[in-house]
Amino acid sequence: MDRGLGGVSALMRVVAAQSRRNGEKRWLGRGRRDHRHYGGAMTEATYPTEEIEAALAEYLRRGAEGRDWDAWAEMFTDDALYEEHVMGTFHGKAAIREWILDTMHGQFPGMTFWTEWQIIDGNRACFYIWNNLPDPGTGKRYGFPNTTVLTYGG
């Protein structure tokens, strides 16, 4: 499947975990871990792959597929940390929402996306996604990839 040549290469890192609040999965801040108590020892929880796959599918459905950036931002907790290597680091759901709405509605309203691959390893989900901009009049596709890493917390 030929998708054309990418423009600039970019790396986007979302350092996050997920947690349930009111039954909904949310992305938490960097360095936070969900620990469960087993026989007197604190251990990092391991979640079923199917659960993590469902959470990742919802993340992509709200953002890349549905372009519902307000709903996408709602997946983050108030103390989430989002790092984008070109545009900066955003602390908390409010800052993430402000950034993504300004970026996707203001700066890049015509951007489209496709995911080339995704992998789940333990509690981490990683995917390689193409950001595609409308043809600037050259007759050629302009796109650039991002790699996103998420850590699921339940």
Side-chain angles (χ1 to χ4, degrees), residues 17-21 24-28 75 77 152-154:
Q18 272 202 357
S19 170
R20 287 186 182 91
R21 183 178 5 167
E24 190 171 322
K25 296 174 180 142
R26 297 186 181 261
W27 302 101
L28 300 175
M75 294 185 77
T77 58
Y152 183 74

Side-chain angles (χ1 to χ4, degrees), residues 5-66:
L5 298 174
V8 283
S9 191
L11 174 66
M12 177 174 34
R13 199 174 103 206
V14 179
V15 182
Q18 272 202 357
S19 170
R20 287 186 182 91
R21 183 178 5 167
N22 300 326
E24 190 171 322
K25 296 174 180 142
R26 297 186 181 261
W27 302 101
L28 300 175
R30 178 182 186 165
R32 295 186 59 177
R33 292 182 179 225
D34 177 30
H35 290 280
R36 295 186 181 169
H37 190 267
Y38 294 102
M42 295 295 283
T43 58
E44 188 171 343
T46 302
Y47 298 93
T49 300
E50 296 78 19
E51 185 175 339
I52 298 169
E53 286 173 342
L56 178 59
E58 180 64 11
Y59 180 88
L60 293 170
R61 185 193 69 76
R62 290 185 187 193
E65 296 165 14

Side-chain angles (χ1 to χ4, degrees), residues 63-147:
E65 296 165 14
R67 296 186 51 80
D68 186 348
W69 300 112
D70 198 50
W72 178 86
E74 191 59 35
M75 294 185 77
F76 293 88
T77 58
D78 294 336
D79 62 347
L81 175 68
Y82 190 101
E83 296 178 81
E84 207 288 339
H85 94 288
V86 172
M87 299 186 142
T89 300
F90 306 94
H91 299 273
K93 179 177 14 182
I96 294 167
R97 176 178 279 117
E98 181 180 347
W99 165 74
I100 198 69
L101 291 176
D102 177 59
T103 301
M104 291 299 141
H105 292 298
Q107 298 176 32
F108 302 106
M111 186 178 282
T112 60
F113 308 88
W114 69 66
T115 303
E116 190 165 316
W117 57 259
Q118 54 187 280
I119 187 168
I120 293 174
D121 182 29
N123 290 340
R124 287 220 167 131
C126 180
F127 58 92
Y128 191 79
I129 190 167
W130 281 89
N131 296 255
N132 304 291
L133 293 167
D135 178 2
T138 64
K140 297 181 181 179
R141 184 183 80 77
Y142 177 75
F144 55 93
N146 287 309
T147 302

